[in-house]
Amino acid sequence: MSQYPQSPLMGQMMSQPLLISSLIQHADRYYPTTEIVSRRVEGDIHRYTYHDCHQRSKKLANVLKDFGVKMGERVATLAWNGYRHLEAYYAVSGSGAVLHTINPRLHPEQIAYIANHAEDQYLFFDLNFLPVVEAVAPLCKTIKGFVMLCERDRMPASTSIANLLCYEDLLSAASADYSWPLFDENSASSLCYTSGTTGNPKGALYSHRSTLLHSFASALPDALNVSARDVVLPVVPMFHVNAWGLPYSVPLTGAKLVFPGPALDGKSIYELFEQEKVTFSAGVPTVWLGLLTYMGQNKLKFSSFKRTVIGGSACPPAMMKAFRKDYGVEVVHAWGMTEMSPLGTCCTLLSKHEQLSEEEREAILSKQGRAIYGVDMKIVDDAGKELPWDGKTYGNLLVKGPWVIGSYYKQEGGDVLEDGWFPTGDVAVIDIEGYMQITDRSKDVIKSGGEWIGTIDLENIAVSHPAVLQAACIGVMHPKWDERPLLVVVRKPGMEVSREELLQFYDGKIAKWWTPDDVVFTDALPIGATGKILKNKIRDTYRDHQLPTA
Ligand code: ADP
């Protein structure tokens, strides 16, 4: 398998493949009584331990064996964050099959497209997705059985699905006597499709080795910093890049796991945080906005929550400040993508930064951060020439590393690497200390008179205004400058701010010519399947917007 030459003297350590099954075996052996708590789709709270999870994962592995699922075959899930989904994570990958987590927020046609593309053999789904599954089942050409993640009494009296099975029935009939097989660590373990904002979704096919290395690296102190003393609640869904690897890295560290199920509103999340004494969480900015709004309205505080990782889209500095100042929660800004398993960079300070003023430290922490060990990055111009790390020069961001994609599943898109590096599609600057800051996605950047305007800065300034809840900046056609920025704003409930006030708010905060030409107010911004603001939809809506000519 290795493309590299062998030394005449090879190391003499045990040869043991890095396999996902070893994580749950470790958690069971060393943290058997540590809890996994889930808010279920059924509405109640379920609790059990790593030992119980391991036992049931082995039962599920026996079920898959009886189904005849072979190594390398894909088994799909359509499920929220919960213990049964975790069992599928370990049983499917651990037995040598490939876990394909499907985003249930996708359109049924897209779900069917990726299930067919992946040639999924079975689909495990949460009971509230029954209508979705009924809609997609006739379109799915390879799925032999649909397993509903529930007890018998929740099964529908009648359904159009041909082979509908009950998860708990299958598990109670199965034995927990199962030995996890050993196989090549480069075998495929799981499959995630990119959300495909343009064109069809493409699959990132992870291996056991890439997943294990990503788990080790992401648990490090300057990354997610998870330990056996933590209580971790992954808000990021297990269908969004494997919940950023937390279902693997948390059992690796022995921390307690808390799953929120489908209840991702501010109130439900807050109550679960308090009830289970959550210390650490991770999610995209839009979810945190809901939590902070709920807490502000009800004058609530956290009693245990200490640290959260925010990524997936740029975390506005105003949100970081609110977390730290108002709630005593440290925010670690992280950047990555489906093609990177997903973690690439995390932003934490160096000891020399302790001398800096609070403002200077905040400025550093608002960046996307330094590469975690294993990931290397560089910025290049359009001709591929490497650009300096001076904190000013921006260029296309390229990455490489053992958990970075080499090619898409089934070679979709052909050869995607540029000289061994993966082009991320992001535009960034890197400073002398290696702190990277995303200025934009290359497709969102505004091209004004031959110069680039990064929209993230413009949005961050807008949301630091006390009356602004959310903001998105897009380029619209301009007769002289090609494109100029238009700011689309959602005001906080009951708050007022005018177009003129907002435009003035930019004075002194940014180069004058970056200031948006116009502001429009709206009730809500379109949010995509992974909780991100959909810029392409906003561009469609305001395509013909007439900018003031003055
Ligand atoms: P998709 O590309 O399908 O939307 P991903 O979750 O893989 O799904 O998105 C990866 C992209 O999200 C990155 O390329 C980048 O543009 C954006 N992103 C992720 N984290 C951040 C961050 N901290 N700041 C700014 N952009 C981010």
Side-chain angles (χ1 to χ4, degrees), residues 44 80 92 169 206 247 272 305 312 318 334 342 367 386 416 449 503 511 536:
D44 58 349
W80 295 108
V92 174
D169 275 3
Y206 312 112
L272 202 54
F305 192 26
K367 300 180 179 188
E386 189 160 356
V416 287
L503 294 180
N536 53 341

Side-chain angles (χ1 to χ4, degrees), residues 445-463:
V445 97
I446 298 170
K447 290 166 193 104
S448 177
E451 301 276 354
W452 285 9
I453 299 178
T455 60
I456 292 179
D457 267 347
L458 298 180
E459 289 156 3
N460 283 346
I461 292 172
V463 295

